[in-house]
Amino acid sequence: MVPASIPKDWSEALSNERNAPWFTELCAFVAEERMRATVYPPEPDVFAALVHTPLDRVKVVLVGQDPYHGPSQAEGLAFSVREGIKPPPSLVNMFKELAADVGCPVPGSGSLVPWAKQGVLLLNTVLTVRAGEANSHKGKGWERLTDAIIRVASARCAPSVFVLWGSHAKKKKALIDGAKHRVLEGVHPSPLSAHTGFFGSRPYSKINGMLSALGREPVDWPLR
């Protein structure tokens, strides 16, 4: 892992974290893991969420958990998979609700890069994973960095919408300035929970309604 791949705007905002001993230890851990096993996403894509969504363009923060651990799936954006890769079940459910909510066709691609480029920060709370082993890099230090990213977005970004799906993401609410930003909490799109409140929740139109109320440009959700 190369810390220099963090783009300059985010790197400066996260300077305290980058210079801390625990971050050096985290980098060493990930480097060792890559020597011993396959790790996703590839090194150049670890900070893709920050690359595609500059700090001054953030208008939505969508919090995920850890990267997909299947071959060629993870591209460094929460819930997103590379072009040509079959969308995993949670993403399939997101697309079903997208079609039901805003009336657009189910996308042919599972890559959410177009959302990221519009200012949707697709942030996993853990940024790497060992192949085939979900949550294998949980508790190794990533959470300290991504909590800091959420705090930076809360402190420095214009009023935005923070989207917290599921119990894991909802724990991050304490990091967000609720007086400045809007927080949308909901059920996770996982097949284990989607039928208990995610389907029919209309999150995409709600996000755009919140953005409009904040005086910000809505997200163009259809993926073409």
Side-chain angles (χ1 to χ4, degrees):
M1 184 176 66
V2 182
S5 62
I6 303 176
K8 183 179 179 181
D9 57 343
W10 285 103
S11 183
E12 292 176 351
L14 298 166
S15 59
N16 288 341
E17 286 70 30
R18 288 191 300 102
N19 294 324
W22 64 261
F23 186 71
T24 301
E25 293 170 5
L26 171 62
C27 292
F29 164 76
V30 175
E32 183 177 349
E33 282 283 278
R34 289 195 187 277
M35 289 190 291
R36 297 169 54 189
T38 299
V39 171
Y40 298 126
E43 187 172 294
D45 296 331
V46 170
F47 298 108
L50 307 183
V51 172
H52 288 301
T53 310
L55 181 55
D56 64 358
R57 293 197 62 193
V58 172
K59 60 185 178 185
V60 177
V61 179
L62 178 54
V63 180
Q65 196 159 350
D66 71 333
Y68 296 122
H69 54 84
S72 302
Q73 289 181 313
E75 63 174 350
L77 305 173
F79 297 104
S80 182
V81 292
R82 296 182 182 281
E83 292 278 354
I85 299 299
K86 181 181 178 181
S90 291
L91 186 55
V92 169
N93 289 340
M94 287 172 61
F95 286 166
K96 287 180 180 177
E97 182 61 19
L98 177 66
D101 185 3
V102 302
C104 64
V106 173
S109 168
S111 177
L112 306 182
V113 169
W115 292 357
K117 289 185 177 295
Q118 292 183 68
V120 181
L121 180 64
L122 297 162
L123 182 68
N124 279 319
T125 54
V126 174
L127 300 188
T128 56
V129 66
R130 186 182 285 208
E133 299 182 32
N135 294 315
S136 50
H137 289 181
K138 179 181 178 181
K140 303 299 183 181
W142 280 124
E143 294 89 345
R144 295 181 69 169
L145 181 68
T146 53
D147 279 2
I149 291 171
I150 294 171
R151 288 192 189 96
V152 164
S154 177
R156 301 199 184 190
C157 293
S160 303
V161 178
F162 287 74
V163 183
L164 310 177
W165 287 337
S167 58
H168 175 83
K170 289 176 183 177
K171 293 176 183 176
K172 306 302 178 182
K173 187 174 182 179
L175 306 174
I176 303 161
D177 181 353
K180 176 182 179 183
H181 305 286
R182 301 289 178 91
V183 178
L184 179 63
E185 298 180 72
V187 173
H188 195 278
S190 162
L192 297 175
S193 55
H195 290 280
T196 65
F198 180 77
F199 289 134
S201 64
R202 304 194 65 194
Y204 307 98
S205 57
K206 286 179 180 177
I207 292 167
N208 278 353
M210 290 177 173
L211 287 171
S212 295
L214 292 170
R216 306 204 65 183
E217 189 75 18
V219 177
D220 182 18
W221 292 113
L223 294 164
R224 300 172 180 86

